[in-house]
Amino acid sequence: MTDRSRLADAAGGDDLAGRLDALVDEHRAALVEMRHHLHAHPELSNREVNTAAFIADHLRALGLDEVRKGIAGHGVVGVLRGGQPGDRVVALRADIDALPVKEQAEVPFASSVIDADYPGGPFPVAHACGHDCHTATVLAAATVLASVRDDLPGAVMFVFQPAEEGPPVDETGGAAAMCDLGAFEDPRPTMVFGMHVAPFPKGTLGYMVGNQFAASCLVKVAVTGVQVHASTPWLGVDPLPAASQIVTGSAQLYRGVSAFNPFTISFGHVEDVGRFNIIGGAVTLWGTIRCTVESDMAAAQGRLCTMAEAIAQAHGCEAEVEFLQPVPAVNNTQAWLDATLPTIERVVGAERVFVTPPGLGYDDVSYLINAYGGVYLQYGVQDTELVDGIALAPVEGGRGVAMNHNPAFYADDDSLTDSLRIHVHVALDHLAGIINPTR
């Protein structure tokens, strides 16, 4: 008897997979409604108070066996124990925080939220990375799976993680903090699964063997000079020229890393003290290093330190470089992909599954995938098409290509139905032993 036959037998001969499909279709409208609510009410990293309350209220209404709040700030974990014997535990993970971005997507549920109290703010806030889609999908998965709990073996964890985008630099948070607090020790996952929405064609799914998402760290470069009146720059030491050369010089550091290993250093924020008629005494650069090969990180950091200190010294300044909030790469192993992809291809069709090139996005779900096993993939939600299997192009008459973190980022509501379908079928097949890379 196959694992799928045993599962059907445990369900009284019923087609449990077919029931899941019917439930997904039944709850599609609720999925979209939850996504719209979350999208219109975004909250920044480590400030996801109302988002967490919305999640916990929904999970409690489903009658889950456990609903834990306040984990590593505003993390929420729900546990659903099945009615059939089984020792496997599948964790479905969603990140819940938003970004300091002013939304430009023209949708009726667009965010108009301003966070006036966030460090460095006030900031407009938007779900410009699609975490509203992730959260709504896993909430809907909880609804569907709770409806068949009596027929499920093992247990399902619904993991809602705060601060994936990184907490304020003087705070802790995110997946690492949840792990440190023992959030996944009882029950302990035997598989972690999730998908990140991307500007791929609607309903397609991208994967690669190895590091699907890059290793990363936050970079802080503090350049110090001597403040002076703008009319007498020779009486002070201007840190701005040094800081600007550090930014431009960082673009050449790729020459010290193998050209076969994608890598980048990007500075996204400059912090100055002063005004138009004051040459400030300090400039702070904030950025990130991304490496698809984790062993390149130490070399990249070392080269940046050497360059920043030398440039600052040449200008009569000092530079202090710090590397904060390290995140390991998300590693999808061949064994886990071989076990998981047949389920996904059965659910949505093999023609919608494709291999992606290495990318430099990061996601701290890596702490869970690397510790407990599983896969983390990319899911398409935009009006685009693939050209030569790699490049993205807009579909005629569609809404175009809008990358994650862009103010115009959008996600198609209809595409989320199959994302939900994938989540619940992967969960079921792991609990049934069908997705099992060690068998």
Side-chain angles (χ1 to χ4, degrees):
M1 182 180 289
T2 66
D3 290 322
R4 204 174 297 281
S5 299
R6 277 191 289 270
L7 188 63
D9 187 59
D14 196 359
D15 178 9
L16 184 53
R19 287 164 57 200
L20 288 183
D21 284 331
L23 286 163
V24 166
D25 293 335
E26 178 183 335
H27 292 286
R28 179 201 171 279
L31 162 62
V32 172
E33 183 179 351
M34 287 190 290
R35 187 253 163 153
H36 289 185
H37 171 83
L38 292 162
H39 190 92
H41 301 88
E43 294 174 298
L44 295 172
S45 302
N46 270 10
R47 303 296 186 273
E48 310 93 338
V49 178
N50 295 320
T51 303
F54 179 82
I55 292 165
D57 287 347
H58 182 82
L59 298 180
R60 290 194 186 103
L62 297 175
L64 298 194
D65 296 273
E66 298 178 45
V67 178
R68 307 180 218 142
K69 281 184 63 179
I71 306 170
H74 303 293
V76 181
V77 173
V79 179
L80 175 69
R81 301 186 188 277
Q84 301 299 319
D87 56 3
R88 293 185 181 87
V89 179
V90 62
L92 302 180
R93 179 268 194 177
D95 37 14
I96 67 174
D97 55 331
L99 287 164
V101 171
K102 183 173 177 58
E103 181 161 13
Q104 294 177 3
E106 296 179 355
V107 292
F109 50 93
S111 169
S112 59
V113 171
I114 302 289
D115 190 331
D117 301 320
Y118 204 74
F123 292 114
V125 187
H127 271 297
C129 200
H131 297 184
D132 54 325
C133 301
H134 308 162
T135 301
T137 299
V138 176
L139 283 172
T143 302
V144 170
L145 292 170
S147 300
V148 297
R149 67 189 305 165
D150 291 344
D151 298 322
L152 293 178
V156 186
M157 298 179 72
F158 305 99
V159 178
F160 298 90
Q161 180 212 304
E164 186 278 330
E165 299 289 355
V169 291
D170 58 349
E171 301 177 18
T172 60
M178 292 186 77
C179 290
D180 290 343
L181 292 169
F184 309 105
E185 292 308 307
D186 184 21
R188 185 180 177 87
T190 53
M191 177 185 186
V192 177
F193 179 76
M195 299 195 299
H196 202 298
V197 294
F200 294 151
K202 291 184 291 190
T204 62
L205 188 140
Y207 76 93
M208 68 169 288
V209 178
N211 290 345
Q212 176 105 30
F213 287 78
S216 77
C217 70
L218 185 154
V219 177
K220 177 185 178 184
V221 182
V223 183
T224 305
V226 178
Q227 183 167 311
V228 71
H229 196 287
S231 66
T232 56
W234 60 90
L235 297 178
V237 180
D238 190 350
L240 270 175
S244 63
Q245 286 191 23
I246 290 170
V247 172
T248 56
S250 69
Q252 292 299 314
L253 294 181
Y254 76 93
R255 297 173 67 86
V257 176
S258 170
F260 299 101
N261 301 344
F263 147 84
T264 188
I265 298 176
S266 299
F267 287 100
H269 181 59
V270 179
E271 199 173 86
D272 188 16
V273 176
R275 62 196 304 269
F276 74 96
N277 61 353
I278 297 174
I279 293 174
V283 176
T284 302
L285 307 173
W286 297 92
T288 178
I289 299 178
R290 312 290 181 96
C291 300
T292 56
V293 176
E294 290 189 80
S295 58
D296 289 337
M297 181 63 77
Q301 291 176 341
R303 288 177 180 275
L304 180 60
C305 279
T306 299
M307 183 200 70
E309 291 167 359
I311 289 175
Q313 185 177 21
H315 285 269
C317 299
E318 295 181 354
E320 181 181 359
V321 184
E322 295 180 72
F323 302 106
L324 310 168
Q325 298 183 4
V327 176
V330 177
N331 185 258
N332 286 329
T333 67
Q334 185 74 63
W336 272 106
L337 286 169
D338 287 346
T340 307
L341 289 178
T343 292
I344 294 172
E345 291 172 347
R346 173 178 57 82
V347 172
V348 299
E351 71 281 359
R352 287 164 60 181
V353 180
F354 67 99
V355 177
T356 64
L360 288 165
Y362 83 84
D363 196 303
D364 67 350
V365 72
S366 55
Y367 284 103
L368 307 184
I369 297 290
N370 299 350
Y372 303 107
V375 294
Y376 193 66
L377 309 171
Q378 292 178 286
Y379 185 75
V381 293
Q382 291 193 1
D383 302 327
T384 60
E385 59 184 356
L386 291 172
V387 179
D388 298 327
I390 298 177
L392 285 172
V395 173
E396 186 176 355
R399 289 166 285 180
V401 181
M403 300 300 294
N404 301 70
H405 292 211
N406 185 289
F409 178 82
Y410 70 94
D412 178 76
D413 284 336
D414 291 338
S415 66
L416 299 183
T417 303
D418 278 344
S419 175
L420 172 58
R421 204 179 306 277
I422 291 168
H423 276 76
V424 297
H425 279 281
V426 166
L428 176 64
D429 280 6
H430 178 65
L431 297 181
I434 296 166
I435 297 176
N436 180 13
T438 61
R439 66 175 180 171

